[in-house]
Amino acid sequence: MDALKAEIANKRKALDGPPAAGRPTKYMRRGDIERLKEEQERKDKEEKEAKQREERERKEREEAEKATRRAKARRHSSSMSPRPDGLRDTASPEPSSQTSFNISNEEAVRRLRAKGQPICLFGESDKDRRLRLRALELIEEKEHERHGGQNDFKKALEDVESRVHKEEDVEKARKKEGKESRDNGTEILDLELVKTDPDKLYPIIYYALKRTLKEWEEWMDNRPESVKRTTQGKLAAATQRQSAEYLKPLFKLLRSRSLPPDMLLRVSEIVHYMQKRQYQKANDSYLRLSIGNAPWPIGVTMVGIHERSAREKISADQVAHVLNDEVSRKYIQSLKRLLTFSQTKYPPDDVTQLMG
């Protein structure tokens, strides 16, 4: 009986005591659950930091590789720079091409802007920009050679822009020259000389047109700097220089006294009425010179191999000389520009004599 009680007491003590180590339990305490959660969060955080650290290291390696490639490219570019004449390869490009290729980035940007081209394309490097600029310049050179430099207005405009930076020197040179008034030593052209002595008309016309052209040039130079630097001011100066070029063939004909009689008559009328400030009449003479007054579509003096009944009605003064050739058209048009300038500087007393 005592042995049975002792065994029961041992069993009860075993049940009331703490569980043995490693013994599975059906329930967990809240503290254990929170501890396990903290451990899991710490592991996740460590893994995330490790991934971020690896990503940073990978980016740093890529940046270092890019810097190394750029340094190699710069060393390669410097090794491609022009060598002395004695060491230059015979297969090297032309000096002008090599010089254009080795211009600075600022110069390349300036030239592209001057040509109205984008200064940088998507994904374009500095070397690609210089190559694109060189290609544009070669295309322009070939176009200029193909057309034979016929765009003289653009050339005149470029000359004007280059002269803007030298205005002070030009003004000093102008001051050394004496400025003559319009009527100083000017001989009014007499239209009777057309019938009596045409040879006397040539020097009068020559010096009258030269004097008006000179006054036009001085008028352009005496404008304020603010006007000269505007687009309209540059275009006006370019028009004056272009007209001076276009009038050279006419001056050559006047010096050689080889102007056709019908054209000599009309030019004499233009100069005569311009000197007397009768611009309306001068404009009428200009129209008869340029487009004629014949009823035909174009001014021809021979309509066939046989004489026609109306053949005597076609006279030389009805010919439209502006249709003859391009040179005549240019200096006849420049005569009208001189007439317009003269009216601007010396307006007539009678408003009815103004050109329309």
Side-chain angles (χ1 to χ4, degrees):
M1 190 67 180
D2 294 335
L4 181 60
K5 288 181 178 179
E7 186 66 26
I8 292 172
N10 291 334
K11 293 290 184 182
R12 186 177 290 126
K13 186 183 295 185
L15 291 173
D16 293 338
R23 181 180 178 181
T25 57
K26 185 177 182 180
Y27 304 102
M28 295 182 65
R29 291 183 298 177
R30 183 182 297 275
D32 296 337
I33 296 175
E34 291 179 355
R35 180 175 52 79
L36 292 175
K37 286 183 178 180
E38 290 177 357
E39 291 179 357
Q40 185 66 29
E41 289 177 357
R42 185 175 63 255
K43 290 180 180 180
D44 293 341
K45 185 176 181 181
E46 290 177 355
E47 291 178 358
K48 186 176 180 181
E49 290 178 352
K51 289 181 179 180
Q52 292 178 353
R53 184 168 55 254
E54 291 177 358
E55 184 69 20
R56 285 195 301 269
E57 292 176 355
R58 184 180 62 82
K59 290 183 178 180
E60 290 176 357
R61 287 195 300 271
E62 291 179 355
E63 291 293 334
E65 291 176 357
K66 289 181 180 179
T68 304
R69 287 196 296 269
R70 285 197 295 267
K72 290 181 178 179
R74 284 195 295 269
R75 287 195 297 270
H76 180 70
S77 176
S78 62
S79 65
M80 294 293 292
S81 60
R83 293 171 294 178
D85 295 338
L87 301 177
R88 183 172 299 170
D89 190 2
T90 57
S92 61
E94 296 180 358
S96 60
S97 175
Q98 191 72 16
T99 303
S100 300
F101 182 78
N102 288 332
I103 61 175
S104 63
N105 293 331
E106 291 78 7
E107 179 64 16
V109 169
R110 187 189 67 79
R111 292 189 188 181
L112 287 172
R113 281 178 176 164
K115 297 179 185 299
Q117 297 291 333
I119 62 174
C120 185
L121 301 179
F122 181 79
E124 186 180 51
S125 64
D126 295 340
K127 180 180 179 181
D128 295 336
R129 182 192 295 119
R130 291 193 292 268
L131 290 175
R132 179 163 61 90
L133 172 63
R134 182 55 184 163
L136 291 172
E137 291 177 347
L138 289 175
I139 291 173
E140 290 178 356
E141 290 176 3
K142 291 186 179 296
E143 288 293 331
H144 183 75
E145 293 174 359
R146 183 181 300 113
H147 296 290
Q150 293 180 0
N151 194 355
D152 46 6
F153 186 80
K154 182 179 179 181
K155 181 177 179 297
L157 185 58
E158 292 175 353
D159 293 338
V160 169
E161 291 179 352
S162 64
R163 286 184 61 194
V164 168
H165 302 287
K166 301 178 181 179
E167 278 306 321
E168 294 183 357
D169 297 337
V170 173
E171 289 297 330
K172 291 179 181 179
R174 297 298 179 199
K175 289 179 181 179
K176 294 180 181 179
E177 300 177 0
K179 292 186 177 180
E180 301 177 357
S181 62
R182 180 179 176 85
D183 297 328
N184 184 18
T186 302
E187 181 181 359
I188 301 297
L189 188 145
D190 187 5
L191 291 179
E192 293 296 330
L193 293 175
V194 176
K195 299 178 181 179
T196 59
D197 193 357
D199 289 340
K200 289 186 178 180
L201 292 173
Y202 288 102
I204 299 175
I205 296 173
Y206 179 85
Y207 289 111
L209 295 180
K210 277 286 188 179
R211 186 177 297 106
T212 306
L213 188 62
K214 183 72 173 179
E215 290 177 352
W216 191 7
E217 183 180 359
E218 292 177 353
W219 178 282
M220 292 290 105
D221 292 336
N222 291 333
R223 294 176 301 167
E225 288 294 330
S226 58
V227 177
K228 291 181 182 179
R229 295 182 181 274
T230 60
T231 302
Q232 293 298 328
K234 292 178 181 179
L235 289 177
T239 302
Q240 189 275 328
R241 291 176 62 84
Q242 184 189 50
S243 300
E245 290 293 325
Y246 286 173
L247 285 170
K248 287 182 178 180
L250 178 60
F251 291 143
K252 184 177 180 180
L253 292 174
L254 292 172
R255 286 194 301 269
S256 61
R257 301 175 186 264
S258 57
L259 199 64
D262 57 325
M263 294 188 67
L264 179 62
L265 172 61
R266 298 307 174 197
V267 175
S268 300
E269 290 177 352
I270 292 174
V271 174
H272 173 75
Y273 292 127
M274 183 174 65
Q275 289 177 336
K276 297 185 69 174
R277 302 185 185 181
Q278 297 177 358
Y279 300 109
Q280 184 64 45
K281 293 182 179 180
N283 188 55
D284 294 340
S285 299
Y286 161 75
L287 292 177
R288 286 193 293 270
L289 174 64
S290 59
I291 61 177
N293 57 0
W296 326 108
I298 58 175
V300 296
T301 57
M302 181 60 70
V303 294
I305 61 175
H306 303 291
E307 291 290 337
R308 302 296 179 91
S309 60
R311 175 68 179 85
E312 63 276 3
K313 295 182 180 179
I314 306 177
S315 59
D317 61 347
Q318 293 176 319
V319 175
H321 292 283
V322 75
L323 301 176
N324 287 351
D325 57 89
E326 188 69 11
V327 176
S328 300
R329 182 193 67 80
K330 288 180 178 180
Y331 66 68
I332 290 175
Q333 182 184 15
S334 300
L335 281 177
K336 178 60 182 297
R337 291 175 178 174
L338 287 180
L339 196 59
T340 303
F341 163 73
S342 182
Q343 179 179 263
T344 302
K345 188 174 182 181
Y346 303 102
D349 299 330
D350 187 3
V351 293
T352 59
Q353 291 299 323
L354 286 172
M355 290 187 297

